[in-house]
Amino acid sequence: MAGTLVAAGLGMALPGGLAGLVPWETSGSRPAAADPSAGSPTPTPTPTPTPSPARFSLLAAGDLLPHEPVVASAADGGRTDFSPLLAGIDPWVRGADLALCHLEVPVAPRGTAPSGYPLFGAPSELVRDLGEQGWDGCSTASNHAVDRGYDGVRATLRHLDAAGMGHVGTARSEAEQDAPQLYELRRADRRITVAHLAATYGLNGLPVPAEAPWAVDLIDADALAAAARAARADGADVVVVSLHAGVEYTEDLTDQQTDVVRRLARSRQVDLVIGHHAHVPQQIARVGKGPDKQGMWTAFGLGNLLSNQSADCCDARTNNGLLLSATVTQKAPGSRARVTALEWTASTVDIAAGHRVHTLPDLLDDPSGSTLSGDELEARADRVRAAVGDAAPERTAPHETTGPAPDVVPRTDD
């Protein structure tokens, strides 16, 4: 109430009329003099604040395979534009903190026309539109990587550079091949570095360019583990490996897939493996011990993100892919960053609508604008669930970004 104060150090209230007196005057007894030998009171230390965890999301997707009908769907008058085909997943890509795609085919070299199967050469506009959508980089090691020779390798990386995107799996020099692709994210007042590596099982019988023996990374588990170890020694907090391997149109894993993944898990240097090539979704699992003895997260096959494949040519499951969502957490500065959650979302291509890409959760929620029936959407969703298994949960909504876009670190100083 008014006119009352609290006597410092006594924990009692003084009536208003005595408010001007010091405490000993109210009792008539002067306190004893302080003992000079007692020294000054020990100050209470200020607690050290607990550092905030740094956290971000990583999105990966299936094969980008621009067959000639896909390129035709991207034709817009006198120009080529893939953005309308990919627009259905805009929120998913833009909501991710780090988005990594898989460019299965090279870009057609300057002065040559785009081409489809069996020797691909994508229009350069595909790379431009991927960058504009929000993809931060792509793996480029695949069985089609040298479809257009060394000129195609160089054209691909030149256009990825121009789009501000990272790349790994093919290279223009030995120094570039030796360097992982690094992405630096700033979260919780610190920097977290992600290293990306990639390799393919083969090149469809085509030779590695004689003038560029370092043009494509071929799968070698020991070499990948050594590269992961070197990346960590150079400061990488997280290591992601993209593997282009397996047999097309089957969920069954090959001995090479399982052997390489086991060996990478045994190295304890790799946090996440992302698989491609089968063109159908394959299982997700935690393999071996991994970096934290809890198992290394592995998505053996992410299927197709964009292609013309379907039951008409190949297999009904080729209509589908996976958007893989990983959450990476670093609890404190200097501690090991971990993949603390992994989720997946089924994607699909509506070929009849002009090769439009969507997530199945979005279409099941609102099928307007799609040519696919409700029964067909449910069938596609069921096929994906059966292939993926139950090691990781399904995600039905996109992430929201947690901070600024990553810095893409050039692989060489060239």
Side-chain angles (χ1 to χ4, degrees):
M1 60 182 179
T4 300
L5 58 80
V6 176
L10 299 179
M12 53 182 272
L14 297 177
L18 302 178
L21 302 178
V22 293
W24 59 266
E25 290 178 316
T26 66
S27 63
S29 300
R30 183 185 296 271
D35 181 358
S37 66
S40 301
T42 302
T44 303
T46 303
T48 302
T50 302
S52 300
R55 187 174 289 111
F56 65 89
S57 63
L58 184 155
L59 181 77
D63 299 346
L64 286 160
L65 200 57
H67 297 96
E68 289 178 350
V70 175
V71 176
S73 289
D76 182 12
R79 60 193 295 268
T80 299
D81 188 0
F82 290 89
S83 297
L85 281 62
L86 299 167
I89 58 169
D90 278 350
W92 295 81
V93 180
R94 292 173 182 167
D97 293 313
L98 176 62
L100 303 177
C101 53
H102 179 59
L103 188 58
E104 175 150 2
V105 306
V107 170
R110 185 181 290 117
T112 69
S115 59
Y117 182 83
L119 296 175
F120 283 91
S124 62
E125 290 87 351
L126 175 60
V127 174
R128 177 202 65 195
D129 297 337
L130 290 169
E132 290 178 355
Q133 187 176 32
W135 295 96
D136 299 298
C138 286
S139 56
T140 55
S142 82
N143 56 315
H144 290 288
V146 296
D147 278 6
R148 292 299 201 94
Y150 184 44
D151 286 345
V153 170
R154 291 188 295 183
T156 304
L157 304 190
R158 183 174 67 250
H159 284 287
L160 286 163
D161 287 340
M165 298 172 66
H167 45 75
V168 70
T170 55
R172 293 162 289 195
S173 68
E174 187 174 1
E176 190 169 48
Q177 183 191 40
D178 288 343
Q181 178 59 60
L182 302 179
Y183 301 92
E184 296 180 347
L185 296 97
R186 298 190 179 275
R187 297 294 185 275
D189 298 322
R190 56 189 181 268
R191 181 183 66 187
I192 300 177
T193 301
V194 177
H196 190 194
L197 306 170
T200 178
Y201 75 94
L203 300 170
N204 287 346
L206 296 174
V208 174
E211 71 274 32
W214 21 256
V216 185
D217 287 308
L218 300 177
I219 290 176
D220 179 326
D222 292 338
L224 285 168
R229 186 174 293 106
R232 289 199 184 277
D234 288 341
D237 300 288
V238 178
V239 178
V240 178
V241 175
S242 290
L243 291 179
H244 195 90
V247 174
E248 294 176 327
Y249 318 134
T250 178
E251 297 167 7
D252 297 334
L253 305 179
T254 64
D255 290 343
Q256 183 185 45
Q257 283 176 286
T258 56
D259 177 64
V260 171
V261 166
R262 275 198 302 265
R263 291 165 71 181
L264 292 179
R266 194 180 305 131
S267 77
R268 301 187 61 191
Q269 301 299 312
V270 178
D271 297 279
L272 175 64
V273 172
I274 303 167
H276 300 96
H277 176 62
H279 304 304
V280 299
Q282 294 180 321
Q283 66 177 273
I284 294 174
R286 297 186 86 158
V287 178
K289 290 185 176 180
D292 57 3
K293 298 185 179 180
Q294 299 299 311
M296 180 184 70
W297 278 114
T298 303
F300 282 95
L302 299 188
N304 287 331
L305 178 63
L306 176 62
S307 81
N308 188 55
Q309 292 182 332
S310 69
D312 293 339
C313 74
C314 313
D315 186 288
R317 296 166 295 180
T318 58
N319 281 315
N320 292 128
L322 298 177
L323 297 182
L324 192 71
S325 297
T327 299
V328 177
T329 305
Q330 185 188 54
K331 291 184 178 180
S335 66
R336 187 86 172 254
R338 298 284 192 241
V339 176
T340 51
L342 195 77
E343 301 165 298
W344 59 271
T345 305
S347 66
T348 199
V349 182
D350 186 347
I351 293 177
H355 297 91
R356 266 45 179 180
V357 180
H358 302 271
T359 69
L360 282 173
D362 287 344
L363 285 184
L364 287 167
D365 183 58
D366 179 10
S368 62
S370 170
T371 69
L372 303 171
S373 69
D375 288 345
E376 174 62 18
L377 293 173
E378 291 287 359
R380 294 187 183 194
D382 289 342
R383 287 195 289 265
V384 175
R385 293 187 188 108
V388 170
D390 56 7
E394 183 176 359
R395 185 176 184 89
T396 58
H399 281 279
E400 294 184 3
T401 54
T402 63
D407 293 327
V408 180
V409 180
R411 288 164 66 196
T412 66
D413 297 328
D414 296 342

